[in-house]
Amino acid sequence: SQQGEEDPQALSIQEGENATMNCSYKTSINNLQWYRQNSGRGLVHLILIRSNEREKHSGRLRVTLDTSKKSSSLLITASRAADTASYFCATDEAGTSYGKLTFGQGTILTVHP
Amino acid sequence: DVKVTQSSRYLVKRTGEKVFLECVQDMDHENMFWYRQDPGLGLRLIYFSYDVKMKEKGDIPEGYSVSREKKERFSLILESASTNQTSMYLCASSFLGRGSTDTQYFGPGTRLTVL
């Protein structure tokens, strides 16, 4: 079953602009993670935010989490052409065990030079 | 750095063949996972394992089996490959975590085509 729903499905911006991707989920979570995937490759972990956190930063990335709305957003500031990739949110559902994550369908980000 | 390797980047098999996809991690992770990724469907969990010889079904286990004889190695087996199993297969591993899920580390993927 799909837990995370991402919006938009695709985003096209110019270099230097900010990119915002949103993720909504349905059940209570322990944490929410964002991953990046370059075309045809494996996923790379970007950032993890716990259910008791509201905002987290890592370099040009800013993640927010609103557990009352069951939603999260990933902001990439001052985007670069190298940020072109697919971005996935993944949720760790509360009450599940053994480290399972449920992934959304992803947002395809294209950054034009 | 954590390294997760998969035995093949590209694989072409015929319908009915038995297919083995191998995954090896070098970080002593307890958890290992097999996903398939299809356009528009995201990543779907096939099977996962939290210990040697232990396995749990994911969301789409039909047509697949797995083997974990050693901690570092997790194999996905297609007993009789079918064309609807043409997909990108991704392996991942993680620590067991304490009360919540830890980061997953992914291999580069195997693109399997079944003719």
Side-chain angles (χ1 to χ4, degrees):
Chain A
S1 61
Q2 290 293 333
Q3 163 79 316
E5 296 292 332
E6 300 189 54
D7 170 59
Q9 291 186 357
L11 182 60
S12 182
I13 59 174
Q14 294 296 128
E15 219 169 19
E17 295 180 340
N18 295 342
T20 299
M21 289 159 268
N22 302 297
C23 171
S24 60
Y25 57 91
K26 296 173 183 160
T27 65
S28 297
I29 62 171
N30 296 317
N31 68 54
L32 185 145
Q33 303 180 28
W34 285 90
Y35 288 80
R36 165 196 168 126
Q37 183 182 34
N38 286 2
S39 180
R41 307 296 295 183
L43 279 70
V44 175
H45 179 258
L46 294 175
I47 196 164
L48 180 154
I49 186 165
R50 302 193 186 282
S51 60
N52 61 354
E53 297 175 311
R54 292 297 166 258
E55 187 170 314
K56 205 160 183 181
H57 296 256
S58 176
R60 293 185 296 112
L61 305 180
R62 173 179 168 253
V63 169
T64 61
L65 179 65
D66 186 335
T67 52
S68 66
K69 294 181 179 178
K70 292 186 169 60
S71 68
S72 173
S73 67
L74 170 68
L75 168 68
I76 303 174
T77 59
S79 63
R80 305 165 182 167
D83 294 327
T84 294
S86 294
Y87 292 82
F88 294 87
C89 68
T91 50
D92 170 20
E93 296 178 34
T96 61
S97 58
Y98 307 123
K100 285 175 59 178
L101 290 175
T102 304
F103 286 82
Q105 295 180 8
T107 293
I108 300 171
L109 172 66
T110 304
V111 182
H112 300 280
Chain B
D1 275 353
V2 175
K3 194 160 186 185
V4 180
T5 57
Q6 294 183 228
S7 50
S8 305
R9 289 282 287 125
Y10 299 94
L11 208 52
V12 179
K13 295 292 181 180
R14 298 222 172 261
T15 301
E17 281 193 77
K18 191 168 185 175
V19 181
F20 292 87
L21 303 182
E22 302 281 336
C23 176
V24 178
Q25 50 95 2
D26 66 358
M27 275 300 291
D28 203 34
H29 285 164
E30 293 88 1
N31 294 335
M32 295 190 76
F33 308 85
W34 274 107
Y35 297 90
R36 65 176 282 175
Q37 183 178 23
D38 302 287
L41 297 177
L43 273 74
R44 294 180 291 167
L45 182 64
I46 305 170
Y47 268 98
F48 67 102
S49 168
Y50 52 90
D51 200 354
V52 175
K53 296 193 187 296
M54 304 303 290
K55 60 185 179 184
E56 293 281 341
K57 292 180 180 178
D59 299 319
I60 50 164
E62 297 77 19
Y64 303 94
S65 62
V66 289
S67 172
R68 193 161 180 206
E69 296 297 319
K70 293 185 178 181
K71 191 174 185 179
E72 68 271 18
R73 188 179 297 269
F74 191 35
S75 302
L76 180 70
I77 303 153
L78 287 66
E79 294 288 341
S80 178
S82 63
T83 55
N84 63 12
Q85 293 178 309
T86 291
S87 186
M88 169 74 102
Y89 289 88
L90 292 164
C91 175
S93 69
S94 74
F95 286 116
L96 190 61
R98 289 195 172 86
S100 68
T101 300
D102 208 346
T103 300
Q104 290 188 10
Y105 295 85
F106 282 80
T110 295
R111 189 166 293 282
L112 173 67
T113 302
V114 182
L115 302 176

